[in-house]
Amino acid sequence: MIYINKKLRIENINLVNIAKKYGTPAYCYSYNQLKDNISSFKRNFASFSPIICFAVKSNTNLRLLKEIKKFGLGADVVSQGELMMAIKAGINPKKIVFSGVGKSTSEITYAIDKRILLLNAESMSEIKKIDKIARSKNRKVKVGLRLNPNTDAKTLSQISTGKKENKFGVNEKTFIELVKYCKNSKNLDLQCLSVHIGSQILNYRPYEKMLKVIDKIISKVNYKFEFIDLGGGMGISYTDKTKQLNYRKYNIAIKKFLKKHNSKIIFEPGRSIIGNVGTLISRIIYIKRNEKKNFIILDAGMNDLIRPALYGAFHNIVPTIRKQRKVKKITEFVGPICESTDKFLSLKKFQELNENDIIAICDVGAYGMSLSSNYNLRPKPIELLIEGSKIKVIRKRQKYTDFI
Ligand code: LLP
C-alpha cells in the first residue's frame, strides 16, 4: 500500500473509491504483492527447489487459489472441503498434501480416490484407518508421518504446534512404531516425514533445532524418506519494528541437512505467501467519546477479522486519507459486535477522524476471511482482487437471503 497525494492506494486504486463503489467492509488483495511474495519465497530456497504447497486454510478464495496455482504451487489441505476447493482451483492432486489430526473416514476415502501426493498421518489409529481403507480398495497409498519434534517455536502459545503438550504429530517412540507398521503393510507406501512446529515464527533457531531432531530420528529408524515436509510457519512483519525471519540461515540449515539426507523438501507456507496481500477496509459508523478515549466504531467486526480478539494479534490500522491534526486522547478501533473483545486496536496520537471516514486494517490476507463467520448474523464481506488499475470481485458480499 502506498500514499499518493495523501490518499491510500493498493496498486493504482484509491481505497476510498473502492469503498464508494463496492461498500464496506471489503477485503482487498494486491495481485502484484502475491506475485512478489511467491517469487521471493522461491528465491529463498532456490538451491534445492522445494515443492511448495500453499496452506489453503490461510485463504480459501477460489480465485486466489487459481492464481497461486498459476505460479506453480501445490496445496496443503486439512479437510475435504479444502481438498475439493484446491482441486476446483485446478491444482494437480499430485501436488496436494493432506494434514490434520482428525481426518474422518470419508475424508480419507476421498483423498485416496483423488490420488493426492501424501496423506500425512498423525496417529497410530489414523494410520490403521488409512491402511484399512486402502486395503478395501486394493490400493497402495502414499503416506507421511507427522513427527512432534518437541521444539518450542517461540511464537504465540495458541499457534504453537510442535511441543509435546500439543495434540499434533507423534512422539519419537510412536514414530518408530509407525515406521515399522508401514513397512509391514502391503497397502501403505511410506514416503514422507512431516513436521510443522507453529505459525508466525520469526526466529530461525527453532527451525534449526527441528532439523536436528529430524536428522536424529531418521538415523534411528534407518529409513529413506522420499520427502521431508517441513510445514510452514514463516512469520511476517505486522509492525515496522518486527525483525524479519532470517531465511538465509534457515536455508543454510536445510542445505546442511540435505547433504546427509537425499530427500525432496516440501513446504506448506500460508501466511508468508498471502498475509501482507490483503487489506480490510472499513467505514466509521460512529465516534463515541468519553473522558479517556475516542471509540471509533467500525462497520467491520470480529466476525470479519477475529485475529485480534482471538489471539490478541496486532494489525495496524491506517487512514485512507492522511491528515496532519492528531488527537490527544486514545483512539480505540472497535467493531459493532456485542462482545468486549470485539476490538481491533488502541493507538495514541492517531490523526483526527470523522464519522463516515474509511480506514484500512493491514496485513489481513492470511487467516482473515478464512476465519470469518456469520456471528451476530452478519453477512460476510466482499473480496476484491486489484491488479494495476483493474478491480475484480472475487467473492460477492453475502446477502441476508443467503442465510435467512
Ligand atoms: N501446515 C500445517 C500442518 C499447519 O497446521 C499450518 C497452519 C500451516 C502449514 C501454515 O502455517 P503458516 O505458514 O500460515 O504459518 N489462525 C492462526 C494461525 C493458525 C495456523 C494453523 N496452522 C492465526 O491467525 O495466526
Side-chain angles (χ1 to χ4, degrees):
M1 287 195 294
I2 177 171
Y3 284 96
I4 292 184
N5 295 331
K6 301 197 171 155
K7 290 186 181 140
L8 189 61
R9 289 183 178 196
I10 290 181
E11 306 212 4
N12 300 334
I13 304 288
N14 188 327
L15 292 186
V16 174
N17 295 343
I18 291 203
K20 268 188 207 143
K21 183 153 181 207
Y22 297 96
T24 49
Y27 272 93
C28 307
Y29 300 98
S30 160
Y31 174 82
N32 280 298
Q33 187 66 56
L34 175 65
K35 190 173 151 190
D36 289 352
N37 291 352
I38 294 177
S39 314
S40 74
F41 194 94
K42 285 183 180 168
R43 216 177 312 120
N44 284 327
F45 302 109
S47 60
F48 54 89
S49 4
I51 300 177
I52 308 170
C53 295
F54 175 68
V56 173
K57 68 166 80 66
S58 64
N59 195 309
T60 61
N61 185 285
L62 180 62
R63 175 60 193 258
L64 293 176
L65 291 176
K66 283 184 181 170
E67 298 301 336
I68 287 167
K69 182 240 155 188
K70 282 189 209 156
F71 292 118
L73 271 55
D76 159 52
V77 300
V78 289
S79 68
Q80 185 170 337
E82 286 188 3
L83 177 52
M84 290 166 88
M85 194 64 111
I87 291 172
K88 189 163 180 189
I91 297 175
N92 185 341
K94 298 258 161 344
K95 279 188 172 177
I96 300 180
V97 297
F98 196 152
S99 316
V101 291
K103 301 176 201 78
S104 68
T105 303
S106 74
E107 288 181 314
I108 293 169
T109 308
Y110 185 80
I112 291 177
D113 288 345
K114 291 293 167 193
R115 295 175 191 264
I116 65 168
L117 176 61
L118 288 165
L119 268 146
N120 284 339
E122 304 212 17
S123 62
M124 184 55 96
S125 304
E126 185 188 346
I127 214 70
K128 284 185 179 164
K129 186 173 267 181
I130 298 174
D131 192 22
K132 193 171 154 205
I133 300 170
R135 206 179 318 127
S136 74
K137 290 179 172 289
N138 206 9
R139 285 267 316 277
K140 189 149 184 150
V141 172
K142 292 185 179 123
V143 293
L145 300 175
R146 178 161 173 186
L147 173 71
N148 182 323
N150 194 20
T151 307
D152 186 351
K154 306 242 180 284
T155 180
L156 292 174
S157 65
Q158 302 99 313
I159 53 177
S160 275
T161 51
K163 291 203 312 196
K164 65 171 185 264
E165 58 265 36
N166 300 128
K167 68 180 174 184
F168 301 98
V170 297
N171 63 18
E172 203 181 289
K173 184 170 162 276
T174 313
F175 189 89
I176 294 168
E177 284 166 15
L178 282 169
V179 173
K180 265 194 208 137
Y181 184 96
C182 291
K183 277 189 192 164
N184 291 329
S185 159
K186 287 195 195 73
N187 300 93
L188 298 173
D189 177 8
L190 177 58
Q191 294 224 332
C192 178
L193 181 160
S194 84
V195 279
H196 171 78
I197 57 172
S199 199
Q200 185 54 11
I201 298 171
L202 291 164
N203 184 339
Y204 71 94
R205 285 183 200 279
Y207 283 128
E208 244 179 19
K209 238 179 112 187
M210 164 190 101
L211 283 162
K212 281 192 187 135
V213 177
I214 302 175
D215 172 44
K216 218 178 88 199
I217 200 159
I218 294 179
S219 313
K220 239 186 209 170
V221 293
N222 190 25
Y223 187 86
K224 163 83 174 66
F225 291 96
E226 196 69 31
F227 303 103
I228 301 290
D229 180 344
L230 298 177
M234 296 82 168
I236 61 167
S237 308
Y238 286 100
T239 68
D240 297 341
K241 289 173 206 125
T242 320
K243 79 175 203 305
Q244 311 259 350
L245 172 66
N246 191 332
Y247 277 92
R248 201 178 58 83
K249 291 263 175 68
Y250 189 14
N251 185 47
I252 291 172
I254 297 171
K255 284 208 314 209
K256 192 170 150 208
F257 173 88
L258 287 177
K259 271 197 184 137
K260 237 173 121 183
H261 308 279
N262 179 25
S263 301
K264 189 88 183 155
I265 297 291
I266 300 176
F267 285 121
E268 303 170 352
R271 192 188 316 266
S272 50
I273 300 294
I274 202 80
N276 66 353
V277 170
T279 304
L280 178 61
I281 58 168
S282 176
R283 186 177 292 276
I284 299 172
I285 310 178
Y286 301 117
I287 297 181
K288 184 153 88 172
R289 298 167 211 276
N290 75 11
E291 312 77 54
K292 292 203 173 132
K293 291 179 186 171
N294 290 346
F295 289 103
I296 310 297
I297 304 171
L298 301 173
D299 66 358
M302 65 192 280
N303 72 301
D304 304 303
L305 173 68
I306 202 173
R307 298 195 72 253
L310 194 57
Y311 310 116
F314 176 91
H315 285 276
N316 201 18
I317 296 185
V318 294
T320 51
I321 301 177
R322 256 190 185 152
K323 290 179 198 149
Q324 286 301 329
R325 269 178 76 125
K326 299 232 172 3
V327 289
K328 287 206 186 90
K329 274 196 276 181
I330 289 170
T331 301
E332 185 156 306
F333 293 93
V334 300
I337 287 184
C338 304
E339 300 263 357
S340 288
T341 53
D342 184 27
K343 172 178 142 181
F344 293 110
L345 192 61
S346 274
L347 291 171
K348 280 181 197 149
K349 292 193 190 138
F350 201 77
Q351 76 170 41
E352 210 168 61
L353 291 167
N354 294 306
E355 292 182 352
N356 275 317
D357 282 357
I358 306 295
I359 57 90
I361 310 179
C362 305
D363 306 314
V364 297
Y367 310 105
M369 186 65 174
S370 68
L371 269 165
S372 67
S373 75
N374 290 121
Y375 187 40
N376 280 196
L377 277 191
R378 287 162 45 85
K380 292 195 186 188
I382 191 171
E383 289 181 288
L384 304 161
L385 181 60
I386 298 169
E387 182 186 359
S389 305
K390 285 185 294 191
I391 310 170
K392 256 206 185 95
V393 176
I394 57 170
R395 181 154 23 198
K396 288 187 192 147
R397 185 180 300 288
Q398 246 184 353
K399 296 194 218 71
Y400 288 112
T401 47
D402 292 340
F403 52 85
I404 297 173

